[in-house]
Amino acid sequence: MIRENFEKNMLELQNKMGEMVDLTVVAMEKAFKALEEQDMVLALAVIEEDSSIDELENEINQMAIWLMAKEQPVARDLRRIVSMIKMSSDIERIADFAVNTAKATIRISKTDSILSKTSLVEMKNISMDMLKKSMTAFIEEDIALAKAVGELDDKVDQKNHENYAVLTDYLKESPQDIEQTLQLLFINRFVERAADHITNMAESTAYFIKGQLFDLN
Amino acid sequence: MTMIVSEASIFNSTTSATTDTYATKIQVNDLNLFYGEKQALFNVNLDIKEKEVTALIGPSGCGKSTFLRTLNRMNDLIDGVRVIGNIHIDGENVYESNDVIRLRTKVGMVFQKSNLFPMSIYDNVAYGPRMQGIKNKKILNEIVEESLRGAAIWDEVKDRLKSSALGLSGGQQQRICIARAIAMKPDVILMDEPTSALDPISTLKVEELITQMKKDYTIVIVTHNMQQAARISDKTAFFLNGEVVEYDDTNVIFSTPKDERTEDYVTGRFG
């Protein structure tokens, strides 16, 4: 192995991205826990802790740019580094949806929750499974796993439609509960968008592995 | 000056760049080369397009310079060299022709180290045309100016054409070498690591020059600098142990090479 130092740097970049994923999964889980338990303190913590994810994205960008200038990577190395820049940007957006969910939780505040009428929690679980899988696909260069992430996104889209129907029906029956219903509709949208960004990550992974652009959405 | 071309070149009537997709300028079929018993090139097949820059890359001793020198039969000068296979330039078989001088007029060459004669700048550039029998001062003046302009060095030397060429910087000397090659009105210019002895700024100037020159010439360049190949060439051939492992558009070679050995080489994992 000639370029040991370069490999070490690339691994560091990848580890930072892994850390971003871990923190984002934690943020999304906390945001949903706050939603389920109507825990305002926890929701506020999600909002505050987002800055560390933003910071990691900055570090990844700066390090990637410096590596490109210094090492002038080509072929697989170039695809790997470009994919990491794109993926870290996607992860940052996913973490923002966790923050948005936390903010929606605060807006709903304490009330009789209708969360159980929806499949939002399940939808979040599928999305977080997708996120972990897309990171594993990248690390293990597993193209089949990257494609599986795209398939899971179809399930999320289906849940999104179901939740929309359930929540709009409920709104017709109980217009007085408009604030909670609207916020849950937003969360429905946030999780669906997060899953789209995760699918983009899987596409970046597929590009890194195969050198071709795939549309997994 | 067009007269010089028709007098000097035996090949040049067949192709001209009138279409958008350039024609094949050099066609290499099943080329094998031996230095005595030792085989240095194995079944090389390459189509080199006209008015494009083709880069030859590969580790030391892989045969890229040997291959380059087959294109104007410079290997003929080495004892014990045997060439099997065909190279056609504009449809004409290079190794069937007896007129090597005409071939080398048509296929010019620039080397790693500038090899200017200990003469004035003017005399260096005018040397080839004079050898061809051009004595008319006005015509020679025109050739020298046009060649120096073509090598992007006219402005730097126009006021001292009569001073020694050896007084110039390394980068300037290399561009004079290119001017000297251009003065022969070649179709093809071969370059064997033309910037490896130059400082970074001179290197960039020569690279810029190569990019400009391809509108008029077919250029084949051997380079150890992979970033240089990526910057200036349209096609890249990767040589390894005397074989062409991969030959494709440069952007394919440097973004999505098909052969793992190419991948390993361009990413610096061996070589």
Side-chain angles (χ1 to χ4, degrees):
Chain A
M1 179 70 67
I2 294 180
R3 308 185 75 183
E4 210 170 310
N5 195 41
F6 178 63
E7 273 302 319
K8 219 175 85 189
N9 284 322
M10 290 290 261
L11 205 60
E12 190 180 333
L13 210 51
Q14 185 176 294
N15 289 341
K16 279 185 193 293
M17 196 168 83
E19 203 182 327
M20 268 186 99
V21 166
D22 291 344
L23 288 175
T24 300
V25 171
V26 169
M28 193 61 96
E29 295 296 351
K30 275 188 186 171
F32 264 79
K33 190 161 186 260
L35 176 67
E36 286 173 86
E37 297 175 5
Q38 303 195 329
D39 183 341
M40 300 307 123
V41 177
L42 192 56
L44 279 170
V46 171
I47 297 164
E48 274 169 24
E49 286 160 12
D50 185 53
S51 60
S52 57
I53 296 172
D54 293 348
E55 211 168 289
L56 272 170
E57 193 210 358
N58 274 336
E59 284 174 26
I60 288 172
N61 278 338
Q62 279 172 17
M63 195 174 165
I65 287 165
W66 174 232
L67 273 179
M68 287 204 278
K70 192 169 65 151
E71 304 283 354
Q72 304 184 346
V74 296
R76 189 177 198 80
D77 293 336
L78 181 62
R79 300 201 304 269
R80 189 170 168 197
I81 212 163
V82 168
S83 295
M84 285 198 271
I85 293 173
K86 290 183 73 175
M87 287 169 79
S88 63
S89 159
D90 281 320
I91 302 167
E92 189 273 333
R93 290 295 297 138
I94 298 160
D96 282 349
F97 289 124
V99 169
N100 291 345
T101 302
K103 284 179 179 168
T105 299
I106 292 168
R107 289 201 187 96
I108 293 170
S109 194
K110 290 197 185 298
T111 181
D112 291 333
S113 179
I114 54 160
L115 184 62
S116 58
K117 289 183 193 295
T118 70
S119 56
L120 278 170
V121 172
E122 202 186 333
M123 190 173 160
K124 177 267 299 174
N125 287 341
I126 300 172
S127 301
M128 291 303 102
D129 182 40
M130 285 167 68
L131 180 54
K132 289 176 210 157
K133 281 196 165 95
S134 71
M135 189 62 209
T136 307
F138 184 84
I139 292 169
E140 294 178 1
E141 298 179 25
D142 185 341
I143 187 79
L145 192 59
K147 285 182 177 162
V149 170
E151 282 152 24
L152 282 171
D153 187 44
D154 296 341
K155 279 194 185 173
V156 172
D157 288 343
Q158 196 190 329
K159 299 261 173 247
N160 176 48
H161 292 308
E162 286 169 18
N163 286 332
Y164 183 84
V166 168
L167 288 167
T168 47
D169 284 349
Y170 173 75
L171 194 55
K172 281 174 207 152
E173 293 161 18
S174 318
Q176 76 288 354
D177 206 4
I178 185 163
E179 184 59 32
Q180 177 180 203
T181 320
L182 260 186
Q183 294 304 333
L184 289 180
L185 276 167
F186 284 145
I187 292 170
N188 189 37
R189 174 80 178 143
F190 298 150
V191 179
E192 188 268 329
R193 289 297 299 134
D196 284 345
H197 281 278
I198 297 163
T199 310
N200 290 347
M201 290 171 65
E203 285 174 355
S204 295
T205 296
Y207 172 71
F208 155 53
I209 300 168
K210 289 282 181 189
Q212 280 170 271
L213 297 173
F214 291 88
D215 185 7
L216 301 178
N217 259 309
Chain B
M1 268 181 294
T2 44
M3 275 185 66
I4 308 162
V5 179
S6 53
E7 275 173 34
S9 172
I10 49 172
F11 304 116
N12 79 333
S13 57
T14 48
T15 54
S16 63
T18 49
T19 50
D20 285 340
T21 11
Y22 294 125
T24 298
K25 184 76 181 174
I26 305 172
Q27 194 173 22
V28 180
N29 296 110
D30 295 327
L31 186 77
N32 289 273
L33 183 141
F34 299 81
Y35 291 118
E37 291 299 304
K38 192 181 177 299
Q39 188 164 359
L41 293 175
F42 296 81
N43 292 319
V44 174
N45 287 286
L46 281 183
D47 278 359
I48 294 170
K49 300 267 182 236
E50 76 173 342
K51 302 195 175 177
E52 281 194 348
V53 177
T54 301
L56 313 178
I57 61 168
S60 295
C62 68
K64 55 192 189 299
S65 288
T66 297
F67 172 73
L68 188 77
R69 291 199 302 264
T70 60
L71 300 178
N72 65 348
R73 293 183 53 176
M74 290 291 277
N75 289 319
D76 290 10
L77 306 171
I78 302 167
D79 282 343
V81 166
R82 198 154 47 91
V83 177
I84 302 170
N86 293 309
I87 297 176
H88 288 88
I89 300 185
D90 291 335
E92 195 135 348
N93 195 329
V94 165
Y95 281 86
E96 276 175 5
S97 164
N98 291 321
D99 198 342
V100 178
I101 296 188
R102 280 188 184 169
L103 170 68
R104 292 186 193 145
T105 305
K106 182 190 176 70
V107 184
M109 194 157 187
V110 175
F111 299 88
Q112 179 178 4
K113 285 193 180 149
S114 63
N115 49 358
L116 293 172
F117 308 124
M119 305 171 177
S120 70
I121 295 166
Y122 184 98
D123 289 342
N124 262 284
V125 181
Y127 189 87
R130 277 177 177 149
M131 292 298 277
Q132 287 182 327
I134 298 169
K135 295 203 171 65
N136 184 315
K137 202 138 191 354
K138 193 167 168 279
I139 293 180
L140 281 175
N141 286 347
E142 276 175 18
I143 294 175
V144 169
E145 178 171 345
E146 194 176 289
S147 305
L148 289 168
R149 281 190 190 280
I153 193 163
W154 171 252
D155 289 340
E156 290 167 57
V157 299
K158 65 180 178 202
D159 298 326
R160 47 171 170 158
L161 293 175
K162 295 293 174 190
S163 0
S164 169
L166 301 181
L168 298 170
S169 76
Q172 288 173 325
Q173 287 194 28
Q174 196 61 309
R175 278 180 288 150
I176 300 287
C177 285
I178 293 171
R180 198 174 55 181
I182 293 174
M184 299 298 284
K185 296 275 165 191
D187 282 6
V188 179
I189 299 179
L190 310 178
M191 298 186 174
D192 196 351
E193 296 182 51
T195 64
S196 57
L198 302 184
D199 66 274
I201 301 296
S202 302
T203 297
L204 286 179
K205 281 186 186 166
V206 171
E207 286 184 5
E208 195 59 36
L209 173 59
I210 291 169
T211 319
Q212 287 165 17
M213 281 167 67
K214 74 173 181 183
K215 69 177 193 299
D216 299 312
Y217 307 97
T218 303
I219 296 168
V220 187
I221 178 173
V222 164
T223 178
H224 273 126
N225 181 338
M226 282 185 281
Q227 265 65 42
Q228 178 170 76
R231 278 195 294 270
I232 65 174
S233 71
D234 301 291
K235 295 256 171 20
T236 297
F238 170 53
F239 279 73
L240 187 64
N241 301 326
E243 286 179 68
V244 176
V245 170
E246 194 165 347
Y247 176 50
D248 210 328
D249 288 344
T250 297
N251 64 9
V252 173
I253 296 287
F254 287 95
S255 62
T256 49
K258 292 178 185 71
D259 194 289
E260 206 172 311
R261 292 167 295 173
T262 315
E263 176 100 44
D264 285 347
Y265 184 70
V266 297
T267 56
R269 277 167 181 80
F270 79 81

